[in-house]
Amino acid sequence: MTGRFAGKTAIVTGASRGIGLGIAERLVADGANVVITARKPEPLQVAVEQLGGPERAIGIAGNAGDEEHQAEVVSRAIEHFGSADLFVNNTGINPAFGPMIDVDLDAGRKIVEVNCLAALSWAQQVHRAWMSVHGGAIVNISSVSGIRASPGVGFYGASKAMLTHITQTLAVELGPSVRVNAVAPAVVKTKFAEKLYEGREDTVSAAYPLKRLGVPADIAGPVAFLLSEDASWITGQLLVVDGGITLTRGA
Protein backbone atom coordinates (compact mmCIF):
# COMPACT_ATOMS: atom_id res chain seq x y z
CA MET A 1 0.00 0.00 0.00
CA THR A 2 1.39 3.40 -1.01
CA GLY A 3 -1.13 5.37 1.04
CA ARG A 4 -1.42 8.16 -1.54
CA PHE A 5 -5.21 8.01 -1.22
CA ALA A 6 -5.28 7.58 2.57
CA GLY A 7 -8.29 9.35 4.04
CA LYS A 8 -9.99 9.65 0.65
CA THR A 9 -13.14 7.99 -0.61
CA ALA A 10 -13.61 6.78 -4.17
CA ILE A 11 -16.84 5.84 -5.92
CA VAL A 12 -16.40 3.36 -8.77
CA THR A 13 -19.39 2.40 -10.90
CA GLY A 14 -19.79 -0.94 -12.62
CA ALA A 15 -17.27 -2.47 -10.25
CA SER A 16 -18.45 -5.96 -9.34
CA ARG A 17 -16.02 -7.41 -11.90
CA GLY A 18 -13.70 -6.57 -14.78
CA ILE A 19 -12.11 -3.15 -15.20
CA GLY A 20 -14.23 -1.56 -12.47
CA LEU A 21 -13.23 -4.13 -9.86
CA GLY A 22 -9.60 -3.86 -10.95
CA ILE A 23 -9.72 -0.10 -10.43
CA ALA A 24 -11.35 -0.50 -7.01
CA GLU A 25 -8.66 -3.00 -5.99
CA ARG A 26 -5.91 -0.59 -7.00
CA LEU A 27 -7.48 2.33 -5.15
CA VAL A 28 -7.85 0.26 -1.97
CA ALA A 29 -4.23 -0.85 -2.30
CA ASP A 30 -3.30 2.84 -2.54
CA GLY A 31 -5.14 3.62 0.69
CA ALA A 32 -8.62 4.70 -0.41
CA ASN A 33 -11.95 3.57 0.90
CA VAL A 34 -14.27 2.66 -1.94
CA VAL A 35 -17.96 2.57 -2.71
CA ILE A 36 -18.74 0.29 -5.64
CA THR A 37 -21.90 -0.12 -7.67
CA ALA A 38 -23.39 -2.69 -10.01
CA ARG A 39 -26.81 -4.00 -10.93
CA LYS A 40 -26.75 -7.33 -9.08
CA PRO A 41 -26.26 -7.41 -5.29
CA GLU A 42 -24.75 -10.91 -5.03
CA PRO A 43 -21.58 -10.39 -7.13
CA LEU A 44 -21.31 -6.92 -5.61
CA GLN A 45 -21.12 -8.40 -2.12
CA VAL A 46 -18.46 -10.88 -3.26
CA ALA A 47 -16.46 -7.95 -4.62
CA VAL A 48 -16.81 -6.05 -1.34
CA GLU A 49 -15.35 -8.97 0.57
CA GLN A 50 -12.53 -9.21 -1.97
CA LEU A 51 -11.78 -5.53 -1.34
CA GLY A 52 -11.48 -5.99 2.43
CA GLY A 53 -15.05 -5.89 3.73
CA PRO A 54 -17.08 -2.96 5.08
CA GLU A 55 -14.09 -1.30 6.75
CA ARG A 56 -12.66 -0.57 3.30
CA ALA A 57 -15.55 -0.99 0.87
CA ILE A 58 -19.31 -0.95 0.58
CA GLY A 59 -21.43 -2.02 -2.37
CA ILE A 60 -24.72 -0.47 -3.45
CA ALA A 61 -26.75 -2.25 -6.10
CA GLY A 62 -28.84 -0.32 -8.60
CA ASN A 63 -29.28 0.97 -12.13
CA ALA A 64 -26.37 3.27 -12.98
CA GLY A 65 -28.67 5.54 -14.98
CA ASP A 66 -31.15 6.01 -12.13
CA GLU A 67 -30.68 9.46 -10.57
CA GLU A 68 -32.13 8.30 -7.22
CA HIS A 69 -29.59 5.47 -7.14
CA GLN A 70 -26.79 7.90 -7.97
CA ALA A 71 -27.84 10.26 -5.20
CA GLU A 72 -28.04 7.37 -2.72
CA VAL A 73 -24.55 6.17 -3.61
CA VAL A 74 -22.98 9.59 -3.18
CA SER A 75 -24.89 10.22 0.05
CA ARG A 76 -23.90 6.88 1.55
CA ALA A 77 -20.27 7.38 0.57
CA ILE A 78 -20.23 10.62 2.54
CA GLU A 79 -22.15 9.13 5.47
CA HIS A 80 -20.11 5.92 5.70
CA PHE A 81 -16.60 7.14 4.90
CA GLY A 82 -16.88 10.91 5.36
CA SER A 83 -16.23 12.16 1.83
CA ALA A 84 -16.59 11.60 -1.93
CA ASP A 85 -13.21 12.77 -3.21
CA LEU A 86 -12.71 10.55 -6.24
CA PHE A 87 -15.18 9.33 -8.84
CA VAL A 88 -14.63 6.74 -11.59
CA ASN A 89 -17.36 6.39 -14.18
CA ASN A 90 -16.82 2.88 -15.48
CA THR A 91 -20.36 1.81 -16.35
CA GLY A 92 -20.93 1.26 -20.06
CA ILE A 93 -23.10 -0.86 -22.32
CA ASN A 94 -22.98 -2.05 -25.90
CA PRO A 95 -26.04 -4.09 -26.89
CA ALA A 96 -25.50 -3.38 -30.60
CA PHE A 97 -22.86 -5.31 -32.55
CA GLY A 98 -22.67 -4.99 -36.31
CA PRO A 99 -22.67 -2.24 -38.96
CA MET A 100 -23.74 1.17 -37.69
CA ILE A 101 -26.01 1.58 -40.72
CA ASP A 102 -28.11 -1.27 -39.34
CA VAL A 103 -28.11 -0.24 -35.68
CA ASP A 104 -31.44 -0.47 -33.89
CA LEU A 105 -32.25 3.11 -32.93
CA ASP A 106 -33.78 2.14 -29.60
CA ALA A 107 -30.52 0.36 -28.75
CA GLY A 108 -28.66 3.49 -29.83
CA ARG A 109 -30.73 5.66 -27.53
CA LYS A 110 -30.01 3.31 -24.63
CA ILE A 111 -26.28 3.41 -25.36
CA VAL A 112 -26.26 7.21 -25.25
CA GLU A 113 -28.41 7.23 -22.12
CA VAL A 114 -26.06 4.94 -20.18
CA ASN A 115 -22.66 5.80 -21.65
CA CYS A 116 -23.12 9.57 -21.86
CA LEU A 117 -26.11 11.01 -20.00
CA ALA A 118 -25.61 8.79 -16.94
CA ALA A 119 -21.93 9.76 -16.84
CA LEU A 120 -22.91 13.43 -16.81
CA SER A 121 -25.57 12.83 -14.19
CA TRP A 122 -23.11 11.04 -11.89
CA ALA A 123 -20.72 13.98 -12.20
CA GLN A 124 -23.54 16.38 -11.34
CA GLN A 125 -24.46 14.36 -8.26
CA VAL A 126 -20.96 14.04 -6.84
CA HIS A 127 -20.13 17.66 -7.64
CA ARG A 128 -23.23 19.04 -5.93
CA ALA A 129 -22.89 16.84 -2.87
CA TRP A 130 -19.12 17.15 -2.27
CA MET A 131 -16.70 18.32 -4.92
CA SER A 132 -18.13 21.80 -5.46
CA VAL A 133 -16.93 22.70 -1.96
CA HIS A 134 -14.09 20.25 -1.28
CA GLY A 135 -12.66 19.58 -4.74
CA GLY A 136 -11.84 16.20 -6.21
CA ALA A 137 -10.98 14.21 -9.30
CA ILE A 138 -13.09 12.37 -11.86
CA VAL A 139 -12.02 9.78 -14.43
CA ASN A 140 -14.33 8.51 -17.16
CA ILE A 141 -13.64 5.18 -18.86
CA SER A 142 -13.83 5.82 -22.59
CA SER A 143 -12.53 3.55 -25.38
CA VAL A 144 -10.19 3.57 -28.36
CA SER A 145 -13.34 2.93 -30.41
CA GLY A 146 -14.17 6.56 -29.73
CA ILE A 147 -11.07 7.95 -31.43
CA ARG A 148 -11.23 6.17 -34.78
CA ALA A 149 -13.64 4.26 -36.98
CA SER A 150 -14.58 1.01 -35.25
CA PRO A 151 -16.58 -1.31 -37.51
CA GLY A 152 -18.82 -3.62 -35.52
CA VAL A 153 -18.95 -1.36 -32.47
CA GLY A 154 -19.38 1.93 -34.28
CA PHE A 155 -22.27 3.39 -32.30
CA TYR A 156 -20.64 2.39 -29.02
CA GLY A 157 -17.56 4.24 -30.28
CA ALA A 158 -19.68 7.27 -31.11
CA SER A 159 -20.98 7.32 -27.54
CA LYS A 160 -17.43 7.16 -26.23
CA ALA A 161 -16.43 10.07 -28.46
CA MET A 162 -19.27 12.01 -26.86
CA LEU A 163 -18.02 10.96 -23.42
CA THR A 164 -14.61 12.37 -24.27
CA HIS A 165 -16.21 15.69 -25.20
CA ILE A 166 -18.18 15.67 -21.94
CA THR A 167 -14.90 15.05 -20.12
CA GLN A 168 -13.18 17.98 -21.79
CA THR A 169 -16.05 20.39 -21.20
CA LEU A 170 -16.42 19.43 -17.54
CA ALA A 171 -12.68 19.90 -17.09
CA VAL A 172 -13.01 23.50 -18.27
CA GLU A 173 -16.14 24.17 -16.23
CA LEU A 174 -15.06 22.54 -12.95
CA GLY A 175 -11.43 23.67 -12.71
CA PRO A 176 -9.43 24.51 -10.76
CA SER A 177 -10.81 22.54 -7.82
CA VAL A 178 -12.00 19.48 -9.75
CA ARG A 179 -9.97 17.70 -12.41
CA VAL A 180 -11.75 15.59 -15.03
CA ASN A 181 -9.92 13.15 -17.29
CA ALA A 182 -10.64 9.98 -19.27
CA VAL A 183 -8.89 6.74 -20.13
CA ALA A 184 -9.37 5.00 -23.48
CA PRO A 185 -8.61 1.26 -23.29
CA ALA A 186 -8.28 -1.06 -26.25
CA VAL A 187 -9.47 -4.66 -25.82
CA VAL A 188 -9.22 -5.76 -22.20
CA LYS A 189 -9.86 -9.36 -21.23
CA THR A 190 -13.20 -9.04 -19.46
CA LYS A 191 -16.64 -10.58 -19.91
CA PHE A 192 -17.83 -7.29 -21.42
CA ALA A 193 -15.31 -7.55 -24.28
CA GLU A 194 -15.44 -11.31 -24.89
CA LYS A 195 -17.04 -11.00 -28.32
CA LEU A 196 -14.02 -9.06 -29.53
CA TYR A 197 -11.50 -11.84 -28.87
CA GLU A 198 -13.18 -15.06 -27.74
CA GLY A 199 -11.82 -18.05 -29.64
CA ARG A 200 -9.23 -15.96 -31.48
CA GLU A 201 -7.19 -14.27 -28.78
CA ASP A 202 -3.84 -15.15 -30.35
CA THR A 203 -4.88 -13.65 -33.67
CA VAL A 204 -6.28 -10.48 -32.12
CA SER A 205 -3.31 -9.92 -29.81
CA ALA A 206 -0.83 -10.46 -32.66
CA ALA A 207 -1.86 -7.08 -34.10
CA TYR A 208 -0.78 -5.30 -30.92
CA PRO A 209 2.82 -4.07 -30.72
CA LEU A 210 2.94 -5.43 -27.15
CA LYS A 211 1.53 -8.77 -28.41
CA ARG A 212 -1.11 -9.20 -25.74
CA LEU A 213 -4.52 -7.97 -24.79
CA GLY A 214 -5.04 -5.83 -21.73
CA VAL A 215 -6.08 -6.98 -18.29
CA PRO A 216 -7.95 -4.87 -15.71
CA ALA A 217 -4.75 -3.98 -13.83
CA ASP A 218 -3.42 -2.34 -17.01
CA ILE A 219 -6.25 0.18 -16.80
CA ALA A 220 -6.33 0.50 -13.01
CA GLY A 221 -2.80 1.91 -12.79
CA PRO A 222 -3.37 4.80 -15.24
CA VAL A 223 -6.72 5.59 -13.60
CA ALA A 224 -5.08 5.74 -10.18
CA PHE A 225 -2.41 8.04 -11.61
CA LEU A 226 -5.00 10.45 -13.05
CA LEU A 227 -6.85 10.54 -9.72
CA SER A 228 -3.65 11.20 -7.77
CA GLU A 229 -1.69 14.35 -6.99
CA ASP A 230 0.94 13.11 -9.44
CA ALA A 231 -1.52 14.31 -12.10
CA SER A 232 -2.34 17.60 -10.39
CA TRP A 233 -1.62 19.61 -13.58
CA ILE A 234 -3.53 17.30 -15.89
CA THR A 235 -7.18 17.85 -16.74
CA GLY A 236 -9.43 17.38 -19.75
CA GLN A 237 -7.14 14.72 -21.22
CA LEU A 238 -7.84 11.37 -22.85
CA LEU A 239 -5.12 8.89 -21.94
CA VAL A 240 -4.96 6.07 -24.48
CA VAL A 241 -4.04 2.74 -22.87
CA ASP A 242 -3.98 0.32 -25.76
CA GLY A 243 -0.88 -1.86 -26.00
CA GLY A 244 0.04 0.21 -29.05
CA ILE A 245 -2.84 -0.94 -31.25
CA THR A 246 -3.80 2.54 -32.42
CA LEU A 247 -0.34 2.87 -33.95
CA THR A 248 -1.12 0.02 -36.34
CA ARG A 249 -3.84 -0.98 -38.72
CA GLY A 250 -4.94 -3.84 -36.48
CA ALA A 251 -8.48 -4.11 -35.19
Side-chain angles (χ1 to χ4, degrees):
M1 181 183 296
T2 66
R4 64 178 170 177
F5 297 130
K8 295 187 179 296
T9 304
I11 298 170
V12 185
T13 68
S16 63
R17 67 186 186 192
I19 290 175
L21 181 55
I23 291 169
E25 289 176 326
R26 177 58 184 266
L27 297 181
V28 167
D30 283 356
N33 297 314
V34 298
V35 179
I36 60 173
T37 76
R39 277 185 172 273
K40 298 179 180 179
E42 294 81 6
L44 200 57
Q45 186 54 43
V46 172
V48 165
E49 294 304 317
Q50 186 172 332
L51 292 168
E55 291 186 0
R56 301 304 307 279
I58 59 172
I60 304 171
N63 182 342
D66 183 346
E67 291 180 41
E68 291 185 3
H69 168 64
Q70 297 167 359
E72 178 192 4
V73 170
V74 176
S75 175
R76 286 185 59 186
I78 296 169
E79 291 172 4
H80 192 85
F81 290 124
S83 63
D85 312 285
L86 312 170
F87 175 69
V88 180
N89 169 58
N90 174 64
T91 302
I93 63 167
N94 183 33
F97 289 89
M100 184 187 288
I101 194 65
D102 296 326
V103 73
D104 178 85
L105 295 185
D106 286 335
R109 292 184 187 97
K110 186 65 175 178
I111 290 171
V112 171
E113 181 180 331
V114 174
N115 294 0
C116 302
L117 292 179
L120 175 58
S121 181
W122 275 107
Q124 291 173 337
Q125 297 277 5
V126 74
H127 184 256
R128 290 167 184 162
W130 184 263
M131 292 185 182
S132 62
V133 173
H134 304 280
I138 296 171
V139 173
N140 292 315
I141 305 303
S142 186
S143 169
V144 294
S145 66
I147 61 176
R148 65 178 190 177
S150 301
V153 293
F155 200 81
Y156 171 79
S159 75
K160 292 300 187 176
M162 182 177 176
L163 180 61
T164 298
H165 191 80
I166 289 170
T167 298
Q168 293 169 338
T169 303
L170 288 178
V172 172
E173 292 181 351
L174 302 185
S177 61
V178 179
R179 295 183 302 102
V180 188
N181 291 289
V183 168
V187 177
V188 177
K189 293 172 64 176
T190 64
K191 186 172 181 60
F192 180 80
E194 277 180 344
K195 289 186 178 181
L196 300 177
Y197 68 88
E198 192 173 27
R200 57 191 185 99
E201 182 178 338
D202 289 346
T203 301
V204 174
S205 60
Y208 285 66
L210 294 185
K211 303 305 179 187
R212 68 173 178 86
L213 302 183
V215 295
D218 292 320
I219 310 306
V223 169
F225 162 70
L226 288 172
L227 292 172
S228 77
E229 287 302 307
D230 288 336
S232 63
W233 209 44
I234 299 174
T235 197
Q237 301 305 304
L238 178 67
L239 177 58
V240 176
V241 185
D242 69 342
I245 190 62
T246 55
L247 302 174
T248 76
R249 295 180 181 178

CSV table of all heavy atoms in Angstrom, one decimal, residues 205-236:
chain,number,residue,atom,x,y,z
A,205,SER,N,-4.4,-10.5,-30.5
A,205,SER,CA,-3.3,-9.9,-29.8
A,205,SER,C,-2.1,-9.8,-30.7
A,205,SER,O,-1.2,-8.9,-30.4
A,205,SER,CB,-3.0,-10.7,-28.6
A,205,SER,OG,-2.6,-12.1,-28.9
A,206,ALA,N,-2.0,-10.6,-31.8
A,206,ALA,CA,-0.8,-10.5,-32.7
A,206,ALA,C,-0.7,-9.1,-33.3
A,206,ALA,O,0.4,-8.7,-33.7
A,206,ALA,CB,-0.9,-11.6,-33.7
A,207,ALA,N,-1.9,-8.4,-33.5
A,207,ALA,CA,-1.9,-7.1,-34.1
A,207,ALA,C,-1.3,-6.0,-33.2
A,207,ALA,O,-1.0,-4.9,-33.6
A,207,ALA,CB,-3.3,-6.7,-34.6
A,208,TYR,N,-1.2,-6.3,-31.9
A,208,TYR,CA,-0.8,-5.3,-30.9
A,208,TYR,C,0.7,-5.3,-30.9
A,208,TYR,O,1.4,-6.3,-30.8
A,208,TYR,CB,-1.3,-5.6,-29.5
A,208,TYR,CG,-2.8,-5.3,-29.3
A,208,TYR,CD1,-3.8,-6.0,-30.0
A,208,TYR,CD2,-3.2,-4.4,-28.4
A,208,TYR,CE1,-5.1,-5.8,-29.8
A,208,TYR,CE2,-4.5,-4.1,-28.2
A,208,TYR,CZ,-5.5,-4.8,-28.9
A,208,TYR,OH,-6.8,-4.5,-28.7
A,209,PRO,N,1.4,-4.1,-30.9
A,209,PRO,CA,2.8,-4.1,-30.7
A,209,PRO,C,3.3,-4.8,-29.5
A,209,PRO,O,4.4,-5.4,-29.5
A,209,PRO,CB,3.1,-2.6,-30.7
A,209,PRO,CG,2.1,-2.0,-31.6
A,209,PRO,CD,0.8,-2.8,-31.3
A,210,LEU,N,2.5,-4.7,-28.4
A,210,LEU,CA,2.9,-5.4,-27.1
A,210,LEU,C,2.5,-6.9,-27.1
A,210,LEU,O,2.7,-7.6,-26.1
A,210,LEU,CB,2.4,-4.7,-25.9
A,210,LEU,CG,3.0,-3.3,-25.7
A,210,LEU,CD1,2.5,-2.6,-24.4
A,210,LEU,CD2,4.6,-3.3,-25.8
A,211,LYS,N,1.8,-7.4,-28.2
A,211,LYS,CA,1.5,-8.8,-28.4
A,211,LYS,C,0.7,-9.4,-27.3
A,211,LYS,O,0.8,-10.6,-27.1
A,211,LYS,CB,2.8,-9.6,-28.6
A,211,LYS,CG,3.7,-9.1,-29.7
A,211,LYS,CD,2.9,-9.0,-31.1
A,211,LYS,CE,3.8,-8.5,-32.2
A,211,LYS,NZ,3.0,-8.2,-33.4
A,212,ARG,N,-0.1,-8.6,-26.7
A,212,ARG,CA,-1.1,-9.2,-25.7
A,212,ARG,C,-2.3,-8.3,-25.6
A,212,ARG,O,-2.2,-7.1,-25.9
A,212,ARG,CB,-0.5,-9.5,-24.4
A,212,ARG,CG,-0.1,-8.2,-23.6
A,212,ARG,CD,0.4,-8.6,-22.2
A,212,ARG,NE,0.8,-7.4,-21.4
A,212,ARG,CZ,0.0,-6.7,-20.7
A,212,ARG,NH1,-1.3,-7.0,-20.6
A,212,ARG,NH2,0.5,-5.7,-20.0
A,213,LEU,N,-3.4,-8.8,-25.1
A,213,LEU,CA,-4.5,-8.0,-24.8
A,213,LEU,C,-4.3,-7.4,-23.4
A,213,LEU,O,-3.5,-7.9,-22.6
A,213,LEU,CB,-5.8,-8.8,-24.9
A,213,LEU,CG,-6.1,-9.5,-26.2
A,213,LEU,CD1,-7.4,-10.2,-26.2
A,213,LEU,CD2,-6.1,-8.4,-27.4
A,214,GLY,N,-5.1,-6.4,-23.1
A,214,GLY,CA,-5.0,-5.8,-21.7
A,214,GLY,C,-5.7,-6.7,-20.7
A,214,GLY,O,-6.5,-7.6,-21.0
A,215,VAL,N,-5.4,-6.4,-19.4
A,215,VAL,CA,-6.1,-7.0,-18.3
A,215,VAL,C,-6.5,-5.8,-17.4
A,215,VAL,O,-6.0,-4.7,-17.6
A,215,VAL,CB,-5.2,-8.0,-17.5
A,215,VAL,CG1,-4.9,-9.2,-18.4
A,215,VAL,CG2,-3.9,-7.3,-17.0
A,216,PRO,N,-7.5,-6.0,-16.5
A,216,PRO,CA,-8.0,-4.9,-15.7
A,216,PRO,C,-6.9,-4.1,-15.0
A,216,PRO,O,-7.0,-2.8,-14.9
A,216,PRO,CB,-8.9,-5.5,-14.7
A,216,PRO,CG,-9.5,-6.7,-15.5
A,216,PRO,CD,-8.3,-7.2,-16.3
A,217,ALA,N,-5.8,-4.7,-14.5
A,217,ALA,CA,-4.8,-4.0,-13.8
A,217,ALA,C,-4.1,-3.0,-14.8
A,217,ALA,O,-3.5,-2.0,-14.3
A,217,ALA,CB,-3.7,-5.0,-13.2
A,218,ASP,N,-4.0,-3.3,-16.1
A,218,ASP,CA,-3.4,-2.3,-17.0
A,218,ASP,C,-4.2,-1.0,-17.1
A,218,ASP,O,-3.6,0.0,-17.4
A,218,ASP,CB,-3.4,-3.0,-18.4
A,218,ASP,CG,-2.4,-4.1,-18.5
A,218,ASP,OD1,-1.4,-4.1,-17.9
A,218,ASP,OD2,-2.8,-5.1,-19.2
A,219,ILE,N,-5.4,-1.0,-16.8
A,219,ILE,CA,-6.3,0.2,-16.8
A,219,ILE,C,-6.3,0.8,-15.4
A,219,ILE,O,-6.3,2.0,-15.3
A,219,ILE,CB,-7.7,-0.1,-17.3
A,219,ILE,CG1,-7.7,-0.9,-18.6
A,219,ILE,CG2,-8.5,1.2,-17.4
A,219,ILE,CD1,-6.9,-0.3,-19.7
A,220,ALA,N,-6.3,0.0,-14.4
A,220,ALA,CA,-6.3,0.5,-13.0
A,220,ALA,C,-5.2,1.4,-12.7
A,220,ALA,O,-5.4,2.5,-12.0
A,220,ALA,CB,-6.4,-0.7,-12.0
A,221,GLY,N,-4.0,1.1,-13.1
A,221,GLY,CA,-2.8,1.9,-12.8
A,221,GLY,C,-2.9,3.3,-13.4
A,221,GLY,O,-2.7,4.3,-12.6
A,222,PRO,N,-3.2,3.5,-14.7
A,222,PRO,CA,-3.4,4.8,-15.2
A,222,PRO,C,-4.5,5.6,-14.6
A,222,PRO,O,-4.4,6.8,-14.4
A,222,PRO,CB,-3.6,4.5,-16.7
A,222,PRO,CG,-2.9,3.2,-17.0
A,222,PRO,CD,-3.1,2.4,-15.7
A,223,VAL,N,-5.6,4.9,-14.3
A,223,VAL,CA,-6.7,5.6,-13.6
A,223,VAL,C,-6.3,6.1,-12.3
A,223,VAL,O,-6.5,7.3,-11.9
A,223,VAL,CB,-7.9,4.7,-13.4
A,223,VAL,CG1,-9.0,5.3,-12.5
A,223,VAL,CG2,-8.6,4.3,-14.8
A,224,ALA,N,-5.6,5.3,-11.5
A,224,ALA,CA,-5.1,5.7,-10.2
A,224,ALA,C,-4.1,6.9,-10.3
A,224,ALA,O,-4.2,7.9,-9.5
A,224,ALA,CB,-4.4,4.6,-9.5
A,225,PHE,N,-3.3,6.9,-11.4
A,225,PHE,CA,-2.4,8.0,-11.6
A,225,PHE,C,-3.2,9.3,-11.9
A,225,PHE,O,-2.9,10.4,-11.3
A,225,PHE,CB,-1.5,7.7,-12.8
A,225,PHE,CG,-0.9,9.0,-13.4
A,225,PHE,CD1,0.1,9.7,-12.8
A,225,PHE,CD2,-1.3,9.4,-14.7
A,225,PHE,CE1,0.7,10.8,-13.3
A,225,PHE,CE2,-0.7,10.6,-15.2
A,225,PHE,CZ,0.2,11.2,-14.6
A,226,LEU,N,-4.2,9.3,-12.7
A,226,LEU,CA,-5.0,10.4,-13.0
A,226,LEU,C,-5.8,11.0,-11.9
A,226,LEU,O,-6.1,12.2,-11.8
A,226,LEU,CB,-5.9,10.2,-14.2
A,226,LEU,CG,-5.3,10.0,-15.6
A,226,LEU,CD1,-6.3,9.5,-16.6
A,226,LEU,CD2,-4.6,11.3,-16.0
A,227,LEU,N,-6.1,10.1,-10.9
A,227,LEU,CA,-6.8,10.5,-9.7
A,227,LEU,C,-5.9,11.1,-8.7
A,227,LEU,O,-6.3,11.9,-7.8
A,227,LEU,CB,-7.6,9.4,-9.1
A,227,LEU,CG,-8.8,8.8,-9.9
A,227,LEU,CD1,-9.3,7.5,-9.2
A,227,LEU,CD2,-9.9,9.8,-10.0
A,228,SER,N,-4.6,10.9,-8.8
A,228,SER,CA,-3.7,11.2,-7.8
A,228,SER,C,-3.1,12.6,-8.0
A,228,SER,O,-3.2,13.2,-9.0
A,228,SER,CB,-2.5,10.2,-7.8
A,228,SER,OG,-1.6,10.4,-8.8
A,229,GLU,N,-2.4,13.1,-6.9
A,229,GLU,CA,-1.7,14.4,-7.0
A,229,GLU,C,-0.5,14.3,-8.0
A,229,GLU,O,-0.1,15.4,-8.4
A,229,GLU,CB,-1.2,14.7,-5.6
A,229,GLU,CG,-2.3,15.2,-4.7
A,229,GLU,CD,-3.1,16.3,-5.2
A,229,GLU,OE1,-2.5,17.4,-5.6
A,229,GLU,OE2,-4.3,16.2,-5.3
A,230,ASP,N,-0.1,13.2,-8.4
A,230,ASP,CA,0.9,13.1,-9.4
A,230,ASP,C,0.4,13.7,-10.7
A,230,ASP,O,1.2,14.1,-11.6
A,230,ASP,CB,1.4,11.7,-9.7
A,230,ASP,CG,2.2,11.1,-8.5
A,230,ASP,OD1,2.8,11.9,-7.8
A,230,ASP,OD2,2.2,9.9,-8.4
A,231,ALA,N,-0.9,13.7,-10.9
A,231,ALA,CA,-1.5,14.3,-12.1
A,231,ALA,C,-2.2,15.6,-11.8
A,231,ALA,O,-3.1,16.0,-12.5
A,231,ALA,CB,-2.6,13.3,-12.6
A,232,SER,N,-1.7,16.4,-10.8
A,232,SER,CA,-2.3,17.6,-10.4
A,232,SER,C,-2.4,18.7,-11.4
A,232,SER,O,-3.1,19.7,-11.3
A,232,SER,CB,-1.7,18.1,-9.1
A,232,SER,OG,-0.3,18.5,-9.4
A,233,TRP,N,-1.6,18.6,-12.5
A,233,TRP,CA,-1.6,19.6,-13.6
A,233,TRP,C,-2.1,19.0,-14.9
A,233,TRP,O,-1.8,19.4,-16.0
A,233,TRP,CB,-0.2,20.2,-13.8
A,233,TRP,CG,-0.3,21.6,-14.3
A,233,TRP,CD1,-1.1,22.6,-13.9
A,233,TRP,CD2,0.5,22.2,-15.3
A,233,TRP,NE1,-0.9,23.8,-14.6
A,233,TRP,CE2,0.1,23.6,-15.5
A,233,TRP,CE3,1.5,21.7,-16.1
A,233,TRP,CZ2,0.6,24.4,-16.4
A,233,TRP,CZ3,2.1,22.6,-17.1
A,233,TRP,CH2,1.7,23.9,-17.2
A,234,ILE,N,-2.9,18.0,-14.7
A,234,ILE,CA,-3.5,17.3,-15.9
A,234,ILE,C,-5.0,17.3,-15.8
A,234,ILE,O,-5.6,16.8,-14.8
A,234,ILE,CB,-3.1,15.8,-16.0
A,234,ILE,CG1,-1.5,15.8,-16.2
A,234,ILE,CG2,-3.7,15.1,-17.2
A,234,ILE,CD1,-1.0,14.4,-16.1
A,235,THR,N,-5.7,17.9,-16.7
A,235,THR,CA,-7.2,17.9,-16.7
A,235,THR,C,-7.7,18.0,-18.2
A,235,THR,O,-7.0,18.5,-19.0
A,235,THR,CB,-7.8,19.0,-15.9
A,235,THR,OG1,-9.2,18.7,-15.6
A,235,THR,CG2,-7.7,20.3,-16.5
A,236,GLY,N,-8.8,17.4,-18.4
A,236,GLY,CA,-9.4,17.4,-19.8
A,236,GLY,C,-8.7,16.5,-20.8
A,236,GLY,O,-8.9,16.7,-22.0
